[in-house]
């Protein structure tokens, strides 16, 4: 696939490495510009590009940036794009966002509201980057780590679940974007490396 990754931190950098190793064509961008990504590009063979290019040319775009930076993205370019939201809301970093503090919105619904027309799927937000890098296992392996995948549209979710499996993790359907609060920080599945049954149990046990 042609994949754009916005963000080169722990999760963005890890996905750049993993997806390139699987043979995907990856363009990576961040707020500091392509020159800041020279080392990552040289290491992985990914293309370091401006944010606009990472979005425009991609079949799938991963967003792995501080949530507070989402409103600064070129929203019009995301219209019709399949967007993987790997973000989390951390008030101490992102500041007070009223509808997220009181949980009247999931952070992914908030993101989708800013990126009108995008087909947003939530995943990769509940796993540590080191485990995303090193703990992928073949399908059928006992104890394979599972990742919750939330989204409103069946086809984008199916594509993303296939990518999760390709990366070595069991995808678990976690419902809609409005239900994706069940995989946000301070829930049973956040950072706990559960298998598929464990993820389903954790999602069901989550409380607002």
């Amino acid at each position: 696939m042609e994949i754009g990754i916005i963000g080169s931190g722990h999760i963005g950098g890890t996905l750049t490495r993993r997806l390139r190793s699987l043979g995907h064509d990856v363009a990576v961008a961040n707020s500091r510009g392509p020159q800041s990504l020279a080392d990552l590009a040289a290491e992985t063979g990914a293309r370091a590009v401006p944010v606009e290019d990472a979005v425009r040319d991609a079949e799938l775009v991963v967003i792995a940036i501080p949530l507070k930076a989402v409103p600064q993205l070129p929203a019009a370019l995301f219209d019709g794009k399949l967007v993987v939201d790997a973000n989390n809301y951390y008030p101490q970093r992102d500041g007070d966002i009223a509808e997220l503090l009181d949980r009247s919105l999931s952070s992914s619904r908030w993101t989708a509201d800013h990126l009108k027309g995008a087909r947003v799927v939530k995943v990769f937000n509940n796993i540590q980057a080191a485990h995303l890098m090193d703990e992928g296992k073949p399908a059928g392996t006992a104890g394979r780590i599972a990742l919750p995948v939330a989204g409103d549209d069946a086809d984008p979710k199916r594509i993303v679940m296939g990518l999760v499996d390709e990366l070595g993790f069991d995808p678990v359907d976690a419902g809609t974007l409005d239900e994706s609060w069940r995989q946000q920080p301070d829930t049973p599945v956040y950072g706990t490396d559960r298998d598929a049954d464990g993820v389903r149990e954790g999602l069901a046990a989550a409380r607002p």
Side-chain angles (χ1 to χ4, degrees), residues 153-176:
D153 302 317
D155 285 345
K157 191 186 289 187
R158 175 183 52 78
I159 292 167
V160 173
M161 292 176 84
L163 196 64
V164 169
D165 182 55
E166 188 181 0
L167 286 162
F169 304 92
D170 281 339
V172 171
D173 192 328
T176 67

Side-chain angles (χ1 to χ4, degrees), residues 8-202:
S8 57
H10 295 304
I11 294 296
T14 295
L15 286 171
T16 299
R17 293 176 175 92
R18 290 294 322 278
L19 293 168
R20 277 295 301 141
S21 73
L22 293 170
H24 293 284
D25 185 357
V26 176
V28 61
N30 64 15
S31 61
R32 299 184 303 279
Q35 69 283 352
S36 69
L37 297 167
D39 289 346
L40 181 61
E43 174 194 341
T44 62
R47 291 176 290 117
V49 300
V51 168
E52 291 78 6
D53 291 352
V55 178
R56 186 181 296 110
D57 300 333
E59 299 170 70
L60 179 153
V61 182
V62 178
I63 299 175
I65 58 178
L67 194 76
K68 63 183 178 182
V70 167
Q72 301 165 27
L73 294 172
L77 285 181
F78 287 86
D79 188 31
K81 293 289 185 180
L82 198 174
V83 174
V84 170
D85 175 21
N87 292 343
N88 287 306
Y89 174 51
Y90 300 113
Q92 66 273 24
R93 178 196 65 189
D94 298 312
D96 292 347
I97 302 174
E99 58 265 50
L100 300 184
L101 281 172
D102 68 14
R103 297 208 174 198
S104 58
L105 281 184
S106 69
S107 66
S108 287
R109 176 62 67 198
W110 184 87
T111 294
D113 286 346
H114 281 283
L115 304 178
K116 295 291 187 185
R119 301 175 297 161
V120 177
V121 178
K122 178 81 159 189
V123 70
F124 303 128
N125 72 297
N126 75 308
I127 186 171
Q128 296 178 36
H131 295 185
L132 181 59
M133 186 72 196
D134 298 326
E135 299 298 327
K137 301 289 190 296
T141 301
R144 193 188 198 206
I145 294 172
L147 300 181
V149 183
D152 294 340
D153 302 317
D155 285 345
K157 191 186 289 187
R158 175 183 52 78
I159 292 167
V160 173
M161 292 176 84
L163 196 64
V164 169
D165 182 55
E166 188 181 0
L167 286 162
F169 304 92
D170 281 339
V172 171
D173 192 328
T176 67
L177 288 185
D178 290 328
E179 296 174 279
S180 65
W181 63 267
R182 295 179 180 275
Q183 66 198 73
Q184 291 179 174
D186 302 319
T187 62
V189 302
Y190 181 75
T192 52
D193 291 344
R194 295 173 176 231
D195 65 10
D197 287 340
V199 166
R200 294 186 187 98
E201 292 168 2

